[in-house]
Amino acid sequence: MSLFEDTYRTIDAKYEGIFRDKGSKFIAYTFPFKSEDQLKELLLEVKAIHPKARHHCWAYRLTPDRAVFRVNDDGEPSGTAGRPILNVLLSMDVTNIIVIVVRYFGGTLLGVPGLINAYKSATQDALNQAEIIERTVNDHYGISFDYLHMNDIMRIIKEECVEVEKQEFDNQCYLEFEVRKMQVNRIVDRFAKIEGCQLTYLYTL
């Protein structure tokens, strides 16, 4: 990703889609997804809704990097569930999303092509319901500074419209903030010029 490609397409809410074939039912759930820490909780949520479903297959993407993903076939033949779900995310160019597809078996085997089509179609239906939004790729930093420099720090935050995520004020102060990728160098340079400030890169999201 270049400096000027600092946006990505995603969703901001949960959506649902469905596909039926030969008695089998495939129900897809899409969720905004920022970290693998959410994976277990979201799977438990869907499994609580569908405890009797035979399979709970999923795929997710994180960041605009097309190589950052995971897929899971949850007992379906390899490559017939998680990968088709992922391919829809890639083809629609959306990320920071997890899709979990629940399958109820209808008694008739669908075969590999049928399964691939079913998981793909359920995912497409859910994303067709979704409102696709554009977000910026932001770098997250921590900054430690002496209380005496509070005014200087807060002036930069106000002038640059920096979003503060966490703050601790004492003799030694600490802030965590996020900055759009395109603006990072300018803003970080301004903070770095304040004597005694210590900047720490945390992560990009």
Side-chain angles (χ1 to χ4, degrees):
M1 182 179 64
S2 75
L3 183 63
F4 298 103
E5 295 172 336
D6 71 339
T7 61
Y8 62 92
R9 287 158 40 88
T10 189
I11 59 176
D12 64 352
K14 172 183 172 182
Y15 294 92
E16 182 179 336
I18 192 166
F19 179 78
R20 294 180 174 88
D21 189 12
K22 297 179 182 177
S24 284
K25 183 165 64 173
F26 299 79
I27 306 168
Y29 295 91
T30 68
F31 299 90
F33 195 68
K34 293 186 176 182
S35 165
E36 190 166 311
D37 293 341
Q38 298 172 258
L39 177 60
K40 184 177 180 180
E41 178 184 345
L42 293 174
L43 281 171
L44 287 173
E45 178 181 332
V46 173
K47 287 179 179 181
I49 301 170
H50 300 283
K52 295 183 179 180
R54 178 168 290 194
H55 303 281
H56 302 81
C57 306
W58 52 267
Y60 71 68
R61 283 190 65 200
L62 284 171
T63 82
D65 187 341
R66 294 173 70 87
V68 182
F69 64 83
R70 275 187 66 192
V71 300
N72 188 293
D73 295 316
D74 192 34
E76 293 282 32
S78 178
T80 63
R83 176 60 69 167
I85 297 169
L86 173 67
N87 286 342
V88 175
L89 298 179
L90 291 169
S91 67
M92 295 186 69
D93 192 26
V94 289
T95 190
N96 284 16
I97 294 177
I98 184 170
V99 179
I100 302 170
V101 180
V102 174
R103 181 190 181 187
Y104 287 94
F105 183 56
T108 301
L109 295 175
L110 302 182
V112 168
L115 286 173
I116 291 173
N117 179 65
Y119 282 99
K120 177 187 76 172
S121 298
T123 302
Q124 286 174 331
D125 188 53
L127 286 171
N128 286 340
Q129 315 301 321
E131 179 183 357
I132 306 298
I133 60 173
E134 187 171 87
R135 293 195 185 278
T136 59
V137 178
N138 296 336
D139 283 354
H140 296 247
Y141 282 85
I143 183 169
S144 299
F145 55 94
D146 190 276
Y147 186 80
L148 294 174
H149 296 299
M150 172 73 74
N151 288 341
D152 296 328
I153 295 291
M154 299 311 290
R155 183 183 303 114
I156 295 172
I157 286 173
K158 183 177 180 180
E159 290 175 357
E160 299 286 358
C161 299
V162 172
E163 183 170 340
V164 176
E165 300 177 301
K166 178 181 178 181
Q167 54 189 33
E168 300 169 2
F169 296 138
D170 207 330
N171 289 336
Q172 188 68 21
C173 303
Y174 178 76
L175 294 176
E176 288 183 4
F177 62 92
E178 61 176 305
V179 180
R180 183 173 177 173
K181 194 84 172 173
M182 194 180 293
Q183 301 169 328
V184 163
N185 291 342
R186 182 184 76 248
I187 294 173
V188 166
D189 285 348
R190 290 191 66 183
F191 283 129
K193 290 175 182 176
I194 299 175
E195 184 179 352
C197 287
Q198 293 186 324
L199 272 168
T200 305
Y201 168 78
L202 300 176
Y203 58 93
T204 297
L205 184 63

